Amino acid sequence: MWNRYILFIKNICLATEQDANPLNYWRDRLFISGIAFLLPFCLIGLIPGLIMSYINDFLPLFIFDSIAFIVSVMVALVPKIPLIVRKWAIFMVFYGVGAVLIFFIGNYGPGLMYLLAVSILMILFLPNNQAYTSFYFNLATCIIFSLLIHFKLISNLPNLPHIDLVHWITVSSNLIFLSAMFSFLIPKLFSRLENSLKEQVSLQKELKKGTVKLKASLDEVESKNRELEHFTYVVSHDLQEPLRMISSFLELLKIKYYGKLDEKANTYISYAVDGAKRMRLLILDLSEYSRINKITEDPIFLDPKKILDELRVTFQDEIEIKNAEITVENLNPFLGYPSFFSILLQNLIANALKYSEPNRSPKIHFSMAERENDYVFQLTDNGVGIDAEYFDKIFILFQRLQQKNAGRGTGMGLAIAKKITDMLGGEIWVSSEVGKGSVFTFTLPNYEKVN
C-alpha cells in the first residue's frame, strides 16, 4: 500500500518535467520523497495546531494553518503543476508557518526552528547557484521582525506575548549564522557530488554508445556469418550434381579408353579422375562445415564408448586394410552434445588413419579425464607426426600438411574439429614429433558444474 502511494506521488510530480542535470535529478526525487512523507506528517504538526488554535480562539493562526494544509495537499496531489512551483509553494508554507509562530508565540523555539528547517530544505532542493536564497530570506525575516519589535508594532497587538528586541537579535543572529554556514558548506559538498555524478553519467553514456556500436557490429557479423553459411551450403549442395556427372563420365572414360591411348593421355585421365574425387570430398567437407552452426538444444548425457563403437563401424574397411588398433581409457558418460562430439571424434580418427605410417599398423588411443570445470580428451596416434611449424596452421580452413607421407587431405577435418570445440566453449591443440606420432588434446565444458 505504501509503495503504491509513493509511486502515485512520483507519477504526479514528475509528469511535467525531467532535469537532465544528474544532481538536480537527484534533488527532484529527494523533494518528491519529502512530499510523500509531508502529508502523513501534517497529521502530527498542522492538524493538532489547527485544533489548538481553534480551542484557544487564535483565528488568524487557524486560518493560516488551514491554508498551509490545503497548499501541501495541492502540491502533492494536483497534477500538471511544474516541479519548481511545487518546491516554492512548500518553501513559502514553511516560511509562513515559521513567521506566524514567531508573530504569535515569540522567539521561543518553534518559529525559528521552522525557518532553519526551510533554509536547509531550500539548499537541498534548489540548484547550487541559489544556495544563498534561504540565507537572504532568513536575514530579511529577522530584520523585518526587528523593525516590528523596535517600533512596537507587535507588542501593541492584543493578547500577544511581549518580545524584547535585544533578546530577539541575540537569538535570531544564530539563525542567520547557521543559514550562512549551511549555504556555504552544503553546496561545496554537492559540487563534488555533482562532478562525480556528471562523470558517472558521462561514462554511462559512453558505455551505452559503445554497447550500441558493439551490438550493431555483432549483429552485422552474425548476419554476414549467416549469409556466408547459407552461401557455402548452397554452393556445396548445388555443385554435387554437376560434379557427380563429371566424375561418372571421367570414370567411364578411364574404363573405356585407359590403355588404348598413349601414356600422356592415360596420365591426364588419371589426374582428372583424382581431381574430381578430391573436389567431391572437398565439397562434402565444406557442406559439413557450413552445417555446424549455433547450439539450439540443451545438452544431454552421451556415452563416448557408444559413439566410438559407431565410428569403428564407419571406418571398418580402413581399419581392416591398415590393421589399425583403437584402444580407450576412462570413457564415462557426461553431459554434452552427441552429434557434435561424434563429428569431432570422427574427424580426429579420420586424421589419424589418413596420416599413418605405411610401414606400421596405426595405433590409436582415446582417453578422457575430468577436471574441476571441464573434461580433457586425448587422441594419440603413432602416425607420421607433424612439424612444430604446422601446429597452429593445421586448424585453419583449407590448410594441409606439406611434408613427406602427409597424404592428400582436403584440409578441413581439423578446421571442423576446431570450429566445434570453439562453439562448445572448449579448446583444441596438438603436440607431435615427426616420425613418432601426434597427440590431439581437446576440452569440453562440464555443463553440470558450469550451469
Side-chain angles (χ1 to χ4, degrees):
M1 186 68 180
W2 177 256
N3 290 335
R4 282 188 291 179
Y5 163 71
I6 296 291
L7 183 61
F8 174 73
I9 298 295
K10 286 183 178 180
N11 290 336
I12 290 177
C13 295
L14 286 180
T16 55
E17 56 191 88
Q18 296 285 333
D19 200 316
N21 184 290
L23 184 57
N24 290 341
Y25 177 89
W26 174 82
R27 283 185 167 117
D28 292 345
R29 274 145 187 78
L30 182 63
F31 172 76
I32 292 168
S33 298
I35 290 296
F37 282 92
L38 176 64
L39 294 184
F41 287 166
C42 285
L43 301 176
I44 302 174
L46 287 177
I47 301 300
L50 285 170
I51 296 173
M52 293 303 297
S53 59
Y54 179 79
I55 293 175
N56 292 289
D57 202 22
F58 277 1
L59 185 60
L61 185 60
F62 177 82
I63 293 174
F64 186 85
D65 283 350
S66 300
I67 294 173
F69 179 73
I70 293 171
V71 170
S72 299
V73 172
M74 292 178 62
V75 166
L77 300 180
V78 176
K80 297 183 180 181
I81 298 177
L83 196 58
I84 188 64
V85 175
R86 297 179 193 272
K87 290 183 180 181
W88 278 104
I90 292 298
F91 298 154
M92 291 302 98
V93 165
F94 273 84
Y95 263 112
V97 170
V100 168
L101 288 174
I102 293 173
F103 190 84
F104 283 101
I105 299 177
N107 62 317
Y108 300 101
L112 293 176
M113 181 182 68
Y114 268 91
L115 294 182
L116 181 61
V118 74
S119 66
I120 295 175
L121 293 178
M122 290 181 72
I123 295 171
L124 290 175
F125 297 150
L126 295 177
N128 282 351
N129 58 5
Q130 301 179 29
Y132 282 91
T133 304
S134 62
F135 167 74
Y136 298 141
F137 266 87
N138 284 335
L139 180 61
T141 302
C142 292
I143 291 174
I144 290 172
F145 271 97
S146 296
L147 292 174
L148 291 174
I149 295 170
H150 176 71
F151 290 106
K152 302 184 184 303
L153 296 177
I154 292 182
S155 59
N156 291 333
L157 294 174
N159 300 323
L160 295 180
H162 175 71
I163 301 177
D164 180 71
L165 179 60
V166 176
H167 190 188
W168 166 253
I169 293 176
T170 302
V171 175
S172 63
S173 61
N174 290 287
L175 170 66
I176 297 172
F177 169 74
L178 290 175
S179 296
M181 289 295 296
F182 291 148
S183 299
F184 175 76
L185 293 177
I186 294 179
K188 291 293 182 183
L189 174 64
F190 278 1
S191 63
R192 293 174 181 262
L193 177 60
E194 185 174 15
N195 292 334
S196 176
L197 289 173
K198 285 181 177 179
E199 290 178 3
Q200 183 179 356
V201 170
S202 177
L203 289 174
Q204 288 177 345
K205 289 181 179 178
E206 292 297 325
L207 179 61
K208 186 176 181 179
K209 289 180 181 178
T211 302
V212 171
K213 290 181 180 179
L214 178 60
K215 185 179 184 302
S217 299
L218 289 175
D219 290 342
E220 184 178 358
V221 170
E222 187 175 353
S223 176
K224 295 296 182 183
N225 283 339
R226 285 197 300 266
E227 291 176 5
L228 180 60
E229 289 169 356
H230 180 69
F231 173 78
T232 304
Y233 177 77
V234 169
V235 170
S236 61
H237 182 270
D238 291 350
L239 284 177
Q240 289 285 348
E241 181 59 28
L243 184 61
R244 186 193 65 78
M245 185 180 298
I246 292 172
S247 299
S248 298
F249 280 106
L250 285 174
E251 287 288 348
L252 290 175
L253 186 64
K254 182 177 181 180
I255 293 172
K256 188 171 183 179
Y257 293 103
Y258 195 84
K260 296 180 181 180
L261 304 174
D262 59 24
E263 188 62 29
K264 186 174 289 188
N266 293 332
T267 302
Y268 291 162
I269 292 175
S270 297
Y271 284 162
V273 172
D274 291 343
K277 289 180 178 179
R278 172 170 162 71
M279 182 174 288
R280 183 174 181 277
L281 291 175
L282 183 61
I283 290 175
L284 289 174
D285 286 345
L286 187 61
S287 178
E288 183 177 8
Y289 187 86
S290 68
R291 286 197 298 268
I292 300 173
N293 296 314
K294 291 181 178 179
I295 301 172
T296 58
E297 300 177 352
D298 293 330
I300 61 174
F301 276 98
L302 63 89
D303 187 352
K305 290 182 180 179
K306 181 179 179 181
I307 292 177
L308 189 60
D309 289 340
E310 293 172 353
L311 292 176
R312 280 195 176 99
V313 176
T314 302
F315 293 106
Q316 182 176 359
D317 292 341
E318 194 168 359
I319 290 173
E320 291 178 357
I321 292 172
K322 294 188 175 184
N323 194 26
E325 180 183 357
I326 301 178
T327 58
V328 299
E329 180 182 359
N330 297 329
L331 296 188
N332 300 307
F334 67 97
L335 201 61
Y337 298 89
S339 58
F340 290 130
F341 185 81
S342 178
I343 295 173
L344 172 59
L345 191 56
Q346 176 182 332
N347 281 281
L348 292 179
I349 293 176
N351 191 75
L353 293 172
K354 184 185 303 179
Y355 296 108
S356 60
E357 283 281 11
N359 57 354
R360 65 171 178 252
S361 299
K363 293 186 180 297
I364 302 171
H365 182 71
F366 185 56
S367 64
M368 171 183 176
E370 182 177 355
R371 297 194 300 194
E372 184 176 358
N373 293 316
D374 61 8
Y375 299 102
V376 181
F377 301 88
Q378 283 191 332
L379 190 137
T380 306
D381 64 58
N382 64 338
V384 296
I386 305 170
D387 285 331
E389 63 177 297
Y390 292 103
F391 283 0
D392 293 328
K393 295 180 180 179
I394 59 174
F395 295 106
I396 301 175
L397 202 63
F398 301 125
Q399 293 292 321
R400 297 187 300 122
L401 294 175
Q402 301 294 332
Q403 61 187 67
K404 185 180 179 181
N405 298 327
R408 300 177 63 189
T410 62
M412 296 195 62
L414 294 179
I416 291 173
K418 179 167 176 52
K419 184 176 181 180
I420 291 174
T421 53
D422 289 346
M423 183 179 62
L424 296 180
E427 296 179 282
I428 186 169
W429 64 93
V430 65
S431 60
S432 182
E433 187 176 348
V434 176
K436 294 187 177 180
S438 305
V439 179
F440 284 90
T441 306
F442 65 93
T443 64
L444 294 176
N446 187 336
Y447 293 104
E448 291 182 275
K449 295 183 179 180
V450 172
N451 294 333

